[in-house]
Amino acid sequence: FEVLLLEGENSKRVNLCERITFLLYSKKGDRKNIFEIVDEFYKLRNSLVHSGRFGNNFRESLLEEISHLYRKTIDKILIRKFGSIQEINNYIQSKKFE
């Protein structure tokens, strides 16, 4: 998802969370919840990749939740026929400031 949604950015975790959130949901409450799920997963991913360990508070349901969100995100990208990361960025920016 970093390759699909990010382009050489420094704040990967926050940007990835925002992009998935804004691609999928328009209601603030939904966005907050989804942001937290993606953020939790990205922290878990970082822990595994950088230290070879899962965190102490690993939730098995997280894998099912993130899998569902990632599938929905890919569907959204394909349905809207985004041609580049820049098009996705422009879409996200328009949604952020509606």
Side-chain angles (χ1 to χ4, degrees):
F1 269 81
E2 288 179 21
V3 171
L4 259 180
L5 297 174
L6 303 173
E7 189 172 45
E9 296 156 70
N10 292 331
S11 184
K12 290 181 180 180
R13 182 178 54 83
V14 170
N15 286 334
L16 187 65
C17 291
E18 282 186 353
R19 291 189 182 147
I20 291 171
T21 299
F22 280 94
L23 276 169
L24 298 180
Y25 296 94
S26 57
K27 293 181 182 174
K28 187 177 181 178
D30 293 336
R31 285 179 174 165
K32 185 177 185 302
N33 183 43
I34 297 309
F35 186 99
E36 290 171 357
I37 291 169
V38 176
D39 188 51
E40 180 183 359
F41 179 75
Y42 202 83
K43 288 175 183 174
L44 175 66
R45 172 248 181 233
N46 282 350
S47 177
L48 183 61
V49 168
H50 297 294
S51 70
R53 293 185 216 119
F54 285 112
N56 293 337
N57 56 353
F58 171 66
R59 295 186 299 117
E60 286 190 37
S61 63
L62 178 61
L63 296 179
E64 191 173 307
E65 293 166 9
I66 203 69
S67 178
H68 173 73
L69 290 173
Y70 279 11
R71 280 193 306 272
K72 282 183 70 167
T73 302
I74 289 170
D75 287 346
K76 180 77 168 210
I77 290 169
L78 294 174
I79 289 168
R80 286 193 134 288
K81 298 181 181 174
F82 291 110
S84 68
I85 293 173
Q86 188 58 50
E87 285 182 30
I88 294 171
N89 289 344
N90 293 342
Y91 177 82
I92 299 301
Q93 290 304 313
S94 72
K95 292 295 180 187
K96 277 175 126 174
F97 298 109
E98 280 185 338

